[in-house]
Amino acid sequence: KVKIEWTHIGDGEQWSILNSEKANAPENCKINFLGAKSNSDVHAYYASNPVDLFVNLSTQEGTPVSIMEAISYGVPILATAVGGNKEVIDHGAGVLLSENPKADEIASKILGLIENKEYIALRKDSYKVWDSYYNSDRNYTGFSQILSELLD
């Protein structure tokens, strides 16, 4: 069996239900529920902990900051094909699931990523997507230049 360590940052309406189900996890799955964290704490976590995959199973989404944070550390994304998730993944940051994936689809995609011989390239591609499209330093500079040219 593949060993999985699931670390969940955040909380929400179903937090207590999710936390109570933790005891029912299979023995090959270690679960860490960290709760809500500040943005700086999330970045500190990524900077000091190895993260192999970011999974987003939302049924509706804008372009989640959580995904942008993950790809800024070169973490590949596995996400549902909803909202802004599609855009980030289409640029090359990971793998799309269907809009409402079943457990077997999710498991299959995770195993495919684990067994991917090009995993290091996928990590690099994930970071490149962030750097090209979501890097605020680059975006602010580019936006400032466009405004400057328009106002001249």
Side-chain angles (χ1 to χ4, degrees), residues 67-123:
I67 285 180
M68 290 183 270
E69 290 167 337
I71 64 176
S72 75
Y73 290 88
V75 177
I77 307 299
L78 178 66
T80 50
V82 297
N85 291 352
K86 294 182 286 188
E87 179 181 323
V88 177
I89 302 303
D90 284 347
H91 287 306
V95 175
L96 273 180
L97 296 160
S98 63
E99 289 184 15
N100 295 298
K102 303 283 186 235
D104 60 336
E105 178 186 355
I106 298 165
S108 173
K109 296 285 187 175
I110 290 173
L111 288 173
L113 286 164
I114 290 170
E115 296 167 354
N116 187 340
K117 292 181 168 91
E118 301 297 321
Y119 179 75
I120 298 300
L122 185 59
R123 288 189 73 93

Side-chain angles (χ1 to χ4, degrees), residues 40-51:
S40 60
D41 286 345
V42 171
H43 283 281
Y45 182 85
Y46 278 118
S48 60
N49 293 280
V51 177

Side-chain angles (χ1 to χ4, degrees), residues 139-152:
N139 289 342
Y140 295 154
T141 301
F143 183 63
S144 296
Q145 288 173 344
I146 290 169
L147 284 178
S148 177
E149 290 169 8
L150 289 172
L151 297 174
D152 282 345

